[in-house]
Amino acid sequence: MPVRIAVLAAAWTFLLCPGAAAQADPFALLFGDTVDAGVEDRPGEDDVRFVGVRLGDLRLKNTLTAYERAEGLCLVAADLFTLLEAPIDVTSAGAKGWFLARDRSVEIDVSGQKARLKEVHEIDLSGTVFATEDGWCMTGDAWSQILPIDVSYDPTSLLVHLQPRETLPLEARLEREALRELLVGEAGPARPDYRKVEAPYRWISWPTADLALDITSQSAGATTTKGSLELAGDLVFATARLRTTQTQDGDTGLRLSFERVFETAPHSLRPRQIRFGDVAGISQPLIARSETGRGLTITNRPAYVANVFDVTDVRGPLPDGWEAELHLEGQLLDFREGPNQQGEYLFEDVEIRPGYNRYTVKLFGPFGETLEREVKLFAGQEMHPEHEVQYEFAVLEEGTALDGFRSGTSRPSASASLQYGVSRSLTVRLDAKATALGEAAATTSLVGAHGDTQGVLRLAASSFGGPAAELGVAHLFDDRSSLDVRYAWNGGLAPLSSQDRTQPPRQSVRLDYDATAPVLRHGLPVRTRLVWQEALDGTQRLTAGVNTSSSHQGWRWGATSFYERVWGHQGGDIQALQGSFSLARTLSGLRIRAGLDYDVAPTAQVKSLDIALQRRLPRGGFGQVSIAHDMQGRRTQASASYARDLGPVSISATTGLDDRGAWSAGIRLATSLFHDRHKGRYAAALPGLTRTGAIRANVFDDIDEDGVLSSVDRAIQGASFIVDQSIRKEESGADGGVTLGGVEPYRSINMELSLGSLDDPFLQPIEPGHAVTVRPGQVIDLNVPLSLSGEVDGTVVLTKAENDVPVAGVLIQAVDSAGRVVGEALSEYDGYFYLDGLPMGDLVLRVAPEALDSINGTSETIELSLTRGGPSAFGVALSLTQLS
């Protein structure tokens, strides 16, 4: 106590003595010096602000620690450099590092109140740098001098605007992350969550039917009527298909086939497809064409022929702190946010499609560095995945149907085909076939690839003819030009077929060249084919064709020229040069098309002219009117056609009249019938269901929460679906049902409800989507229950010095009982946040962990329970506490 009294007395003496007051600050004597070396007076706790950040046009989730000063908002250096991801080290004495490029050094001296750029340019920082509890800070104007960023502050909304004068690495990263979020949203974690709809084979099912009726009348004959029927459905745990056929003589026959498709592992040798009845055989190069007949085929080939040839791994070194992206033709496919344990980026199961694949791996450093690596992968059309075996066996009575009808010479045969991928660049194929007449043939094929070149070699032999061989080479020169050359020696070998065997040429050469000529703005694509053949009798034939097409100012045109020359055994020399030209344009919804065919040699003449007008008509109709003139036959014919889908019935009508008075008219009606389980009867749909498949979706508000449409639930009208990322035009009716036809069989498709089609924005599907695989003729019944969604609003505040301060830019999350984040929102300038579209049930409301880390704080969590009786929670308060 005596010491404190002495200090106060001394201070009072200094106040009374002007000279002494000039020499010392009494407040500094009483309370200590508030100035750190070279820094102005320290801002207090009441000045702290956690501000939101807008970088250009982007609102960031991050917040910045700042202090309001009379000189302007003071941004804490460590927080700002962390936000900008700048490689600059911050200490109590200042900062040192580089920004945008290593030669653009930045050095800030706090005590000296100055900054130096590129070790040359010096900036005076007097009166702009202040000490705080969170480290030193600097006003926005000073930051704008040091960094290529204009800094402004809106105190009303508690937002700092950072407007870069140059492209920042952070901007590039945010753009990449936006693309990655889109990638994840479309093809990432949401896809595996789609529930797989099981549709096992059954003993018997209600068949689906395709019906068509054709009525034709002609001036020269009577009216003819022709009907067709095709049925498809489960029978004895297989897909049975029955269809009617009609011969030229008017005889009607039946064709019946059974097909069973199994789910097996990709490299399994177990059969994937078994077909029985009226089936097609195997097409085998050089020795056999595919023929139909009654019999059996077995194969382990996939039922759905995917456009993916094989998969591979793409990998390479990746330093710590770097990221990698995989691109194909400018599209982001996948990304890695850091190296694996081996210090590499690894993209597994990268698709290799038939043809040329050019992938790009882009590497991004932590401070804006970029590198690129190109990966070229080639897969020829006839190549096979590495170390995979595929086989196919067939036993047929070719030319004879199951009902006994014969279309030619009946020939029982057995054939087999085997393919093996020796490596990614070499495939071996073996084919053999034998008939009951004692004929047999076999062929061996080798297909290899290296770089941008593919080659094929085939050797064949038979019991009834000489050997045969084929040699081909294909090469891609660049993205716009390729060359494919094939030479074949057939000798006396003819394909084994149930029909009369047509002798192939003794030898032939085929050359295909595709290129883009440097003509017009985007170039002119040109496709050229040249074929030379020599028959067994010595006759030679040379044909050459050129095709090109382009568009200009709304006009679309195409031209084809064809040259043929025949000479040799029969003597003489026959040559012909002919071509065609077409022109089309759309004007005010009317499409106009005109074309002509002409000869240049041996006689120059125009052979025919035609013009057609096409237009889409109201209510989904389509009409066409055309007129054609044959100059050789001196005959003119006009025709008109109309097509429309009238509900589930497809209607098309045609009529024609020529200048000699001959006329014709016809109409076709077609529809499909399927059994609607919910209605308990057959319903009609657009034709084609027996060849494809369909999904009957029932959309309803699941009021009783049992997942099944019942009388208690409310049907939803006008709902539509997204099938494999394409919005379907069909909408649910008053009963909530909608039939999605034309679904490709044996291929798993992802479908989800289009939320924009719902009138009530608070209704949400209980499941994010479904993975569905249909069989030909199968109509899968699918319930799509909806549930009311909830909403929550509230405020987030920072508790400091016994005061609650609203905090902007804090990320708030709603988490369900499974730990999944089901909703997110950023707090506004007054701390207000709002989340909607939340699922019913128990939820936990929290501040995102990364938001807590950014301010070194903690926060409570709030448990909520949303129900149909209480789908909302308003006025929720979340408190933050900043750790010291």
Side-chain angles (χ1 to χ4, degrees), residues 199-201 208 232-234 689-690 692-695 773-780:
Y201 287 93
T208 298
D234 284 2
L689 289 188
T690 59
T692 58
I695 301 169
T773 302
V774 301
R775 300 188 290 272
Q778 184 182 36
V779 180
I780 292 181

Side-chain angles (χ1 to χ4, degrees), residues 211-215 224-228 650 652 667-671:
L211 302 95
L213 177 65
D214 293 275
I215 303 174
T224 59
T225 303
K226 178 183 176 182
S228 64
S650 175
S652 60
I667 186 171
R668 177 180 176 85
L669 306 175
T671 189

Side-chain angles (χ1 to χ4, degrees), residues 12 91 117 273 288 390 485-486 513 558 621 755 786 806 814 830 845 854:
W12 182 256
T91 65
L117 305 181
Q273 302 175 66
Q390 285 189 359
V485 181
R486 296 289 178 102
Y513 181 66
L755 300 181
L786 308 181
D830 56 356
L845 204 64
S854 67

Side-chain angles (χ1 to χ4, degrees), residues 701-884:
D701 183 3
D702 191 16
I703 296 175
D704 56 7
E705 300 182 353
D706 62 353
V708 179
L709 178 60
S710 64
S711 58
V712 178
D713 302 323
R714 180 173 64 91
I716 302 298
Q717 186 176 2
S720 61
F721 284 84
I722 301 174
V723 179
D724 272 358
Q725 301 183 14
S726 297
I727 299 179
R728 297 289 296 257
K729 63 180 181 179
E730 299 93 335
E731 295 182 349
S732 59
D735 61 350
V738 57
T739 302
L740 306 175
V743 180
E744 191 171 1
Y746 301 123
R747 183 173 74 90
S748 178
I749 61 107
N750 293 313
M751 61 175 292
E752 60 185 271
L753 189 66
S754 175
L755 300 181
S757 65
L758 300 178
D759 292 335
D760 188 347
F762 291 100
L763 283 177
Q764 300 285 331
I766 296 177
E767 297 179 299
H770 300 83
V772 186
T773 302
V774 301
R775 300 188 290 272
Q778 184 182 36
V779 180
I780 292 181
D781 194 85
L782 182 64
N783 284 321
V784 184
L786 308 181
S787 177
L788 193 66
S789 63
E791 56 182 342
V792 176
D793 78 352
T795 56
V796 56
V797 295
L798 176 67
T799 300
K800 196 167 187 180
E802 299 182 356
N803 292 321
D804 290 339
V805 180
V807 185
V810 175
L811 182 63
I812 309 300
Q813 296 177 330
V815 183
D816 65 8
S817 57
R820 294 174 301 188
V821 176
V822 294
E824 288 185 338
L826 280 174
S827 61
E828 301 296 334
Y829 72 95
D830 56 356
Y832 176 79
F833 62 87
Y834 174 73
L835 297 94
D836 61 352
L838 301 177
M840 296 293 100
D842 295 332
L843 300 175
V844 172
L845 204 64
R846 72 183 186 188
V847 177
E850 57 268 28
L852 292 175
D853 293 340
S854 67
I855 64 171
N856 190 28
T858 62
S859 172
E860 61 183 356
T861 60
I862 298 178
E863 296 183 357
L864 302 171
S865 181
L866 303 182
T867 63
R868 281 185 173 268
S872 305
F874 299 123
V876 175
L878 277 172
S879 297
L880 296 175
T881 302
Q882 191 175 25
L883 301 178
S884 58

Side-chain angles (χ1 to χ4, degrees), residues 403-617:
D403 63 358
F405 175 79
R406 293 186 177 182
S407 59
T409 304
S410 179
R411 186 194 304 267
S413 67
S415 56
S417 178
L418 179 69
Q419 280 183 288
Y420 176 65
V422 179
S423 66
R424 192 175 295 116
S425 58
L426 180 63
T427 296
V428 176
R429 174 170 177 169
L430 303 175
D431 290 274
K433 183 172 183 177
T435 69
L437 301 179
E439 299 173 320
T443 182
T444 300
S445 303
L446 294 176
V447 183
H450 178 71
D452 292 338
T453 303
Q454 176 191 333
V456 58
L457 172 64
R458 290 195 178 92
L459 301 174
S462 69
S463 61
F464 57 88
E470 181 182 3
L471 177 65
V473 177
H475 182 75
L476 181 71
F477 295 99
D478 51 45
D479 292 336
R480 295 189 173 188
S481 60
S482 63
L483 176 66
D484 188 350
V485 181
R486 296 289 178 102
Y487 171 77
W489 170 265
N490 297 304
L493 179 62
L496 291 173
S497 169
S498 62
Q499 308 298 326
D500 294 334
R501 280 188 261 139
T502 303
Q503 289 291 339
R506 175 187 296 162
Q507 58 180 333
S508 64
V509 175
R510 191 194 75 200
L511 183 149
D512 291 321
Y513 181 66
D514 295 342
T516 299
V519 181
L520 302 179
R521 181 178 178 182
H522 300 289
L524 188 64
V526 179
R527 306 193 68 180
T528 306
R529 169 167 285 191
L530 180 67
V531 179
W532 172 81
Q533 297 176 337
E534 181 187 24
L536 294 176
D537 62 4
T539 302
Q540 299 184 58
R541 180 186 301 269
L542 177 66
T543 59
V546 179
N547 174 270
T548 184
S549 62
S550 186
S551 60
H552 181 66
Q553 294 184 350
W555 291 95
R556 179 75 184 177
W557 61 271
T560 300
S561 298
F562 180 79
Y563 171 78
E564 181 178 35
R565 179 188 177 191
V566 180
W567 74 99
H569 176 71
Q570 298 178 350
D573 194 338
I574 302 174
Q575 298 187 60
L577 177 60
Q578 57 189 19
S580 63
F581 181 80
S582 63
L583 190 66
R585 180 164 186 176
T586 301
L587 295 172
S588 301
L590 181 67
R591 188 173 188 269
I592 307 171
R593 183 192 177 279
L596 64 88
D597 294 331
Y598 60 89
D599 285 342
V600 177
T603 303
Q605 60 177 339
V606 176
K607 295 192 295 183
S608 65
L609 289 168
D610 68 89
I611 185 171
L613 304 178
Q614 301 171 335
R615 188 181 183 89
R616 294 198 175 275
L617 302 175

